[in-house]
Amino acid sequence: MGVANLLENWSKFRHTHPVDDHGHEDWMAYPTDIKWAMAIDLDACIGCNACSVACYAENNLPVVGKDKYSHGAAMHWMRIERYWDENEGEGDFSAEQGARFLPMLCQQCDAAPCETVCPVGATNHTEDGLNSQIYNRCIGSRYCLVNCPYKVRYFNWYDYPSTKDVWPSPMEQQLNPDLSVRGKGVMEKCTFCKQRTYTARNDAKTQGREVRDSDVMTACQESCPTGAITFGNLFNAESQVAMKWKAQQVKLDTDKQAKDENPDNGLRGYHVLEWLRPYPSVMYMERVRETEI
Amino acid sequence: MSKRYLLALYNNFEEAEQVVRELRTSSIQGFNAADDMVIKSPIEHPEVEEFIGPKPVKVQWFTLFGATLIGSLGFLWVASTQANFFSQMKGGKPIVPIPPDMVLTYEFFILGGVYITVLGFLVCAGLPARRSPLYSAKVSEDQIGIMVKAEEGATTALKGIFAKHKALEIQEEVGR
Amino acid sequence: MTENDFNRRDFLKVLGWGGTAVALSGCGNTSIQNGKEIITSFVTPPDYVIPSVANYFNTTCAQCSAGCDIMGRVREGRVLKAEGNPHSPINYGKMCGLGQAGVQNHYNPDRVTKPMLAGKEVTWDQALAAINDKLGGVKGEQVAFLTGDISGHPRVLLDNYLEALGSKNHFSYEAASPAVLRAANKKAYGVEMPRYRIDKARVVVSFGADFLGAWITPVHFAQMYARFRKGTRPEGRGVLVQFEPKMTLTGANADRWVGIRPGTEGVMALGLINALGAYGLHIPSDIAAAVKEYTPERVSLDTGVPFEQINKVAKILKERSPSLILAGDAAEGYAHGLQNALAIAMLNQVLGNIGKTVEAPASVPFPQLAPAVGNRASLVAFNKGLADGKYKVVFTYGANPVYSAPAALKFQDNFRKADFKVAFAHYMDETAQAADLVLPLASAMEDWATVVPEYTAVPEGGNSETYVHMSFRQPMMEKLYPDTRGIGDMLLALLKQRQPDTYKGFDDFYSYLHGAILKNKVALGSKASDDDDVFWNATVSKGIVPLSGHANKVSGKLTAADLKLPPTTGADIAYPLRLIPTVSASIRDGRNANEPWLQESPDPLTTVVWDSWVEINPKTAAKLGIKEGDIIEITSRSGSIKTQAYLFPGIHPDAIAVPVGYGHQGMGRYANSIGANVYSMLDPVFDDKTGDLAFNETNVKIAQSGERVILVKDEGAAGGSQAHMRIAVQWPVDRVDYSKEV
Amino acid sequence: MTKDIREDIAWAKINQDVLKSLETPRPAYWVILAVALSVFGVGLGCEIYQYQMGMGVSNLDNPHAWALYIGSFIFWIGMSHSGTLLSAILHIMHADWRKPIYRFAEAMTTFSLITAALFVAVHLGRVWQIYYALPYPNERWAWPNWQSPLLWDAMAVFTYLSSSMIFLYVGMIPDLAICRDNMHSGWRKKLYTLMALGWEGTDRQWRNFRMTYLTVACFLIPLAVSVHSIVSTDFAVSQQPGMHVTSFPPYFVAGALYSGCAAIISLFIILRYVFRFEEYMTLPILRKVVRLTFAIAMVWTYLNCVEFAATWYGHDPAEKAVLVQKAIGPYAPFFWTMIFCGSVVPFAMMVKKWQTSIPIMFAVSLLLNLGMFLERWMIISPTLSHDYWPWQWDHNQWPSMIQWGIVFGSFGFFVTLFMVFCKVFPSVSMYEVKEMVYHRSLHSKKAESAAPEGFVAEELAVKGAN
């Protein structure tokens, strides 16, 4: 019963996970100690958009067309942002050192601003450290989008499945049956390819072992021509992503990384907007540029 | 033996007050001023309570009870629902976060207060009720009514007192 | 199987193994029977089909000519997604957005589904009869075949067909192809398409080679680039310098992007040689003499690049060896394109990169299978032939000349002159509309083929001397439209009209291919004793067939005599700006314009979607009072287009850039009249040596049309600004400690 | 005669005059009702279209996920507050001039809250699933997320709405009894009889009535304050620059009272005309309301300055950027209109002559409400167009006609409900006006001469005016 449950577990429910870097030991909802995380090397990213298109293919994202795109209805869960070096003065850009590309996807924050504000609890924290979005539960108040500092949540402003030229026959045959096609009035966002991670997790579980890097790749990671994206289980010390985070001394639950503490330590790992303390699960590694040239 | 109802209408509170005072001082056989007398007025007139004698009001007890009960129940309910669905936890937040629950508890507190108070009002004021046989529309307009309940024998005396104070009109009716 | 030697060679040619010693195994025709069984559709699915579990089938990407090896994710008999084939030496399991969109090419609602004769639907028999009947009346040389890049067994059949017709008119046309580069490479290194070992280089200086975006084999180069950038490799993090008038995707990733005046790339190259000499690099005396005049001052005057910059580049080239110098579209698209390319190749020669970062590829052991690579010169030749009325019956496949030929060539009118035009078409594109007979192509995901990529990448541990490979293309699913046919099947059908006896054994292209592969299985890495089916299944499921090719040599063959550059011309007064048609990584030459994912995926640099645009340097725009979103009329001597302006810092003030591939008329709902077709307004200027159409030789003037639109782009109101926040952070290399990285 | 009070309105006459309002209003009433109904119809049409097509037709987009709907929601909730102010706060303060006007003010509270609740539905992407926000027990153990300010809103608004409805009803019982006694037949008679609960005005009923009314009033005051501070947490609790402002709760409450008082002035003037209430809704009362409004206007202005100053000296670049955006960006015209209407126009209420000038005050009150509507909008859109993420900045978003249509429709909805109420129920509290004149007569009897001179003068002036 609720109250008994409440009293007996009071302290446990004030759990620190997932803000903490480790799974909560007495958290029964954790079959395996999984915390999905990502590392994106901005020096390797060439901004080619392959990840974005792969995301369209994997996650049944609708193509909204020019008019709706112009009204900010684009549904790209994974978008490539292009920034310029700025000289003094507004909008005075310099292309001398090329452009800076930033692949922006849901950061799967561990203290997600979007989660707390949803009136119906349609977006929650999963036991594997993701920021879930329950389409069936969503009533479309869009508070999560308003409160998302990265603006990586996308709302179905129209009923795309029934909209002309979004999936004209036979294009609907390409839709991925592993996940739903969202109707109007629902918020959606990057899920770290939940359909893939869940399969991997269950396989590992049935084989009674930890999830390995070889088990799962997100669609964006799989396609990335330069391998700029690393994805895996942060709790598994052997995983590439864990090693990268460790090498960059990046912590999940800090608003200031080691490289900010001491600029000379040669590190380049950081979280975007980390000073807002959403504790993102995506680590970016700074773009590097030659000084001799 | 049967009781009789008398209703006398007056122009203003002064006259009504004198009548009441006299009735209370007078010792008429078969008529108890403390219980058998009701003042009907078109407006709320605190002085009435002074001359009609002490009559306690109990609504505030309902208020106290309602506010505290609904308030605390509200909190427990909210907290236990939260504790029940840890499957919908919020990253970085405790399952049962106190500040939001306090906000809600506050609202429950007021909700209970208001609802139960009004309930109390209906109970204490005996509403809804059928109107008494001697109801006069004049009362809701501009006249003060004094309704008394008395033994057969007492009516004449009462009528006398009413008339003495120039009652605009005296109605009489056999009680049930 | 006859013992007659001639017939034997003849038969080999039929199967594509001509021109080489082949150990023929067994009698193939039994396996053809198997073939028929295998391709009959199943009543009960094979045991590997488990509902809700996806199967992956290896095949080859058909979205561009790079020939990446991919896997199709197939579930319940539908192909859902394309993934890279991890064993591919080209793309190492990776893919570009363009490749991903292949499924939309397959599932496209605007595909041609029925043969159409003069606009009316006909049966295949009628269609083939029509061709046969037309061919009856013409001589062999009056038949011409225009294709895009084509290789493998489809090419074998094509060549056999043309030979059967007695025609030599096969024109391989690619609107965007490094044709001039091939010529230059042949001259400079002795091979047309060497292996560029970006991953081995410490410095890469690229003259407009967009090897990350649209150049030759981008996904492969992106892989090499990733290794080249790794600070953890022994050579340390590589440095990329890009000289080009309009920033390409590669330029956007350069450590230093140098906006150079259009056409002066060669000058810059010679200037660098000169500067290198000054830094003490040994330069052969004759060459030194030839470049003497290109002093940093003069070069910086011609190219508009500050000479400190030139010296910096020379310095780093001198200090860090090996390096790699690339010449790309931007450098070769001129009347003096070849000279430019040669001057740039000379840089590799003097820097001693040849053999280090410029490697010799092996050539394909079976010449018939080797790719017939496209260029623009062939379009010119084809066009001339049509203009002179030499061709009565023409076939087009994998090319859309009516759309992509400059209006000045009057191609459309000339095309009409041919009596009978047959288009093997996937969409009702411009060429198909102009054709008399349209034959519906099966998509690459429904069809059998073999592909031999032009650029030969070698896997780890592969013998870089001799490694070549052939990739398989196999159907991922049943045909969406039963009346569509693969190019192989069509050619086979046409061949049967000509030489029924030779080809009667082959029911369809599958059985032909099946038989051909089995015939030569020893050369394809199997033992004669192996079971045919086992071998076949293994080969097809691998998807990649390594061949041991003929080794080649590369060496610096250039002399001072090759370093002739025309004097840099001043600005054209009437048409002051230089138009640079850009080939974007996704839309490319326009053949993929009807795939909505590509239309909706923003251009990486401008983030514009669903339309074409013109990139203008903010300075130039300020001078002309142009704001973003102004509809600009761009006028050249050969035509004019209207499109929306985008102020772009990454372009030389004397140049404007418009992406090709937009402005289709027809083709499909997603491409039709989206944007403007910049091909149409190109001036007919040709490369002096190769005769290739020079892309960047069009001078234009621009004017506001008065209209103004809000640009539909992903970029927000802040433009490329980070609003003083640390969002996409940049760090100088000497502050990074790579020893700590994994 | 003891009824010869200076305010020589016979109690019976009070009954007649007010009851007349239930019978035959001026024709203007029907005009207003018709206009309101048609406006509501337009809004309804737009909503149906939006329901069919999806939220996109309102031109909301990413990042402009919120705009006029939430703005109007806050606006309507805000308007509700002054009803409580008049009925509860002034009741406790024994300000007897509130008595003739508090009834319609309370009705305004109720109906504006209903209108606000309407916007919750209009705003949702999947309104057909709105019940997910209700805490009903279910097999999945899925409850609404109590941490969400939106849910606090729902809770607060529900409490407020029901409480003020009850308050309105309880306070109306004696008057319903009067209606019951004076109606002769028909459905209305039945209705009043039912609703009067057999009220007789006995001393027992009055005793408990007084206590109840006082208690509920005491509850309503903190409730009203909590409601709008909770609404402000929708923004204050969020993370966005320009919304994450500490001073929002008081700011919102002040704004609420402000717009409410302005609305009261408008409705005061309308009712006064259509129901011929000149003798009850007298100009001195208008003057008092106007003065009150002016005071609140100054409080609001002050809190505005506090917010801007805090942002400016806080040195949070993002916050500052939003402020600058408001001042000089695409929303500048609306921002400055809001400042003008909210902080400049009120000074018109300082001019003594104007305070009692019907047309001027009507215009002023409308302007004030325009300003307050813009204020709500200016909290939402500039922030969303210029928040933390520069890549997603969007300065070109503009609400579509659908969105505007629904907002206008809400005004029609409100006015319809309000007008119908005033026609069916006494919009002036008869028994309390009687109390008012009774106590005044006592008062003036006690101290004939001690009556405030100014007051006399006004009253005479008013008599002249009427």
Side-chain angles (χ1 to χ4, degrees), chain C residues 319-339:
Chain C
E319 287 166 357
R320 308 193 185 178
S321 179
S323 58
L324 174 61
I325 319 294
L326 301 173
D329 308 356
E332 50 182 87
Y334 300 95
H336 59 288
L338 190 74
Q339 290 102 312

Side-chain angles (χ1 to χ4, degrees), chain C residues 299 353 713:
Chain C
V299 172
N353 298 332
K713 51 174 188 167

Side-chain angles (χ1 to χ4, degrees), chain A residues 41 43 244 247-248 268 285, chain C residues 226-238 736-742:
Chain A
D41 184 348
D43 195 35
K244 281 197 154 91
Q248 296 296 338
R268 54 195 188 105
M285 289 156 81
Chain C
R227 300 181 194 174
F228 159 84
R229 283 299 204 194
K230 274 259 173 293
T232 44
R233 67 170 189 166
E235 300 91 342
R237 180 180 181 279
V736 181
D737 177 0
Y738 280 106
S739 66
K740 291 181 178 169
E741 296 199 358
V742 286

Side-chain angles (χ1 to χ4, degrees), chain A residues 43-78:
Chain A
D43 195 35
C45 174
I46 57 172
C48 66
N49 255 324
C51 50
S52 185
V53 180
C55 189
Y56 272 79
E58 173 73 17
N59 292 306
N60 302 342
L61 303 188
V63 168
V64 300
K66 185 177 187 181
D67 179 50
K68 293 190 171 74
Y69 203 112
S70 71
H71 286 98
M75 300 297 276
H76 42 37
W77 288 0
M78 175 72 141

